[in-house]
Amino acid sequence: MRVALITYSTKPRGGVVHTLNLAESLSRLGVDVTVWSLARGGDEGFFRSIADSVRQRLIPFPDVPDETVTDRIVRSINVIGHSFAYNDYDIVHAQDCISANAVGTCIRTIHHLDRFTTPVLVECHEKAVVDPYARICVSQAVADEVRDGWSLHPTVIPNGVDYARFASAAADSPAAEARRDEWRTRLGHYVLAVGGIEPRKGSIDLLEAYALLRRDHPDLSLVFAGGETLFDYRDYRADFDRRQSELGVAPIVLGAVDDAALPSLVAGCDAFAFPSIKEGFGLAAMEALAAGRPVVTRELPILREVFGDVVTYAGEVPSLAARLDAALRGDHPRAEPGRVLARGLTWEAAARSHIEFYEQHPHPRVDRTA
């Protein structure tokens, strides 16, 4: 079976992490896998090394100064569509809205549903849900949204978790302790959020909760790691910067963190904050559980489904601050149930479910040479 997995970026976004781990697990089970992606700004590879058994096809995507978000997304779709070797594969599996629009007839994983106001982007989002001939969601809650909105019935295949990598970072070994201590020396005691500064991640809410926390935890740092997207959140980032000035706080914004260093950063935090207002699964929070960290998430049906009672849930800013304060004081769910949950979600199991899905949904052959 020859499978193409298509994603829109080489950066460590959740969907890209999913794509690479799925590709490697499929290849270990004997599937011939090629990962396709845009290579923006001169990128020569993905944010981490990939198993040699997985082929890579990176499509050059040079930056265009002053390009609008809509124009960049439309260009992304066109560039992938013109480059993709459609008839080389038995299964074409798009991992996001952009790649689904680019390749047309495909299987689509719908990680979460977005809301757009620009007509072009609304149309792209609609087509990426409706046009694929088969669909996968990583949680039942997202599948229910698709059912309610479009009367379609995706199959649910949860994410896997690289449990060993994050659990090892939290181990008692001298090497693991030294790596955590490096972060603590640099950052002090810190609450960590992974995923960048953007509206969907609830970044400004977390900033305001941090300002409340500082009253009782004056030496506490708030750390943001990650963040890379085709969307332009400069207005939101300007609001974020303005708000931190008004609040008199200065979070530490690390940007993209080297993949090898990320587990120790997660394992070294005092609490992990996940205040997203929209999610499809919550992979970063699951990785924090694998590292044995207390996790505070937004009160969302999707996160209730995925995490059950192994995390603490919060609503608006005062609640978020209160739940983080409790976590910092040691009042949070025991770590072991969270570890058990994370350990049980393997990429091998996800890959086996995908292979079964591919076999049940063979590709409708389309003559792309006509």
Side-chain angles (χ1 to χ4, degrees):
M1 183 187 298
R2 301 166 303 166
V3 174
L5 301 180
I6 310 103
T7 185
Y8 74 94
S9 175
T10 57
K11 306 299 185 184
R13 299 293 291 182
V16 182
V17 172
H18 172 102
T19 302
L20 299 186
N21 281 287
L22 175 60
E24 291 173 325
S25 296
L26 287 170
S27 71
R28 285 193 289 269
L29 294 173
V31 178
D32 183 347
V33 184
T34 304
V35 176
W36 286 73
S37 177
L38 296 173
R40 287 182 282 140
D43 283 350
E44 297 181 354
F46 283 95
F47 68 93
R48 68 166 177 85
S49 60
I50 306 173
D52 292 340
S53 57
V54 176
R55 295 185 178 89
Q56 301 178 51
R57 293 292 300 273
L58 301 182
I59 308 166
F61 191 75
D63 294 333
V64 173
D66 301 321
E67 187 175 36
T68 67
V69 175
T70 299
D71 288 345
R72 185 159 64 251
I73 290 175
V74 170
R75 182 165 66 96
S76 301
I77 292 168
N78 290 335
V79 168
I80 294 174
H82 290 151
S83 303
F84 184 66
Y86 200 96
N87 289 321
D88 289 349
Y89 304 101
D90 302 305
I91 295 291
V92 176
H93 187 172
Q95 294 292 323
D96 49 73
C97 177
I98 290 169
S99 57
N101 273 272
V103 299
T105 305
C106 65
I107 292 170
R108 161 88 195 280
T109 291
I110 303 172
H111 292 273
H112 66 272
L113 293 168
D114 288 304
R115 293 184 182 276
F116 297 108
T117 56
T118 306
V120 171
L121 299 186
V122 170
E123 180 183 4
C124 288
H125 183 266
E126 180 77 10
K127 289 178 63 178
V129 173
V130 174
D131 287 359
Y133 72 90
R135 300 156 197 84
I136 295 170
C137 291
V138 294
S139 63
Q140 186 61 53
V142 176
D144 290 345
E145 288 185 62
V146 175
R147 180 202 62 203
D148 294 343
W150 290 271
S151 298
L152 299 169
H153 300 276
T155 295
V156 177
I157 304 178
N159 270 316
V161 181
D162 193 348
Y163 175 82
R165 203 163 77 96
F166 287 85
S168 296
D172 293 332
S173 68
E177 289 182 351
R179 285 189 287 271
R180 295 194 299 271
D181 286 344
E182 288 178 6
W183 284 113
R184 289 166 178 163
T185 298
R186 176 180 173 184
L187 304 171
H189 291 285
Y190 61 98
V191 169
L192 176 65
V194 173
I197 297 170
E198 57 186 78
R200 184 171 70 85
K201 295 298 183 180
S203 307
I204 292 177
D205 281 358
L206 180 55
L207 182 70
E208 294 182 346
Y210 172 59
L212 296 177
L213 279 174
R214 284 287 299 274
R215 298 172 184 175
D216 295 321
H217 304 273
D219 297 327
L220 183 70
S221 296
L222 173 61
V223 178
F224 290 89
E228 169 66 26
T229 178
L230 281 176
F231 300 106
D232 187 346
Y233 296 123
R234 72 183 73 183
D235 290 342
Y236 186 84
R237 181 58 188 268
D239 290 342
F240 178 92
D241 292 341
R242 181 168 53 253
R243 190 67 183 126
Q244 67 171 307
S245 178
E246 293 169 352
L247 294 167
V249 296
I252 299 170
V253 181
L254 297 175
V257 174
D258 184 79
D259 186 64
L262 180 63
S264 58
L265 174 66
V266 173
C269 73
D270 292 77
F272 189 89
F274 199 69
S276 299
I277 61 173
K278 190 77 172 178
E279 281 294 339
F281 181 83
L283 182 55
M286 194 66 74
E287 292 168 341
L289 290 179
R293 306 319 303 143
V295 174
V296 178
T297 77
R298 184 81 70 169
E299 179 66 77
L300 298 177
I302 285 174
L303 299 181
R304 282 279 183 184
E305 172 197 335
V306 173
F307 292 100
D309 59 2
V310 302
V311 303
T312 302
Y313 298 92
E316 299 307 314
V317 169
S319 172
L320 180 58
R323 299 298 182 271
L324 286 169
D325 176 69
L328 293 168
R329 297 178 188 277
D331 182 10
H332 53 77
R334 292 185 304 112
E336 188 55 27
R339 289 193 180 102
V340 170
L341 175 63
R343 188 164 56 239
L345 292 164
T346 69
W347 284 110
E348 179 180 343
R352 291 188 183 279
S353 294
H354 276 80
I355 291 171
E356 181 180 352
F357 185 87
Y358 296 155
E359 291 172 344
Q360 293 172 351
H361 298 83
H363 184 71
R365 301 313 301 175
V366 178
D367 184 4
R368 295 273 167 164
T369 63

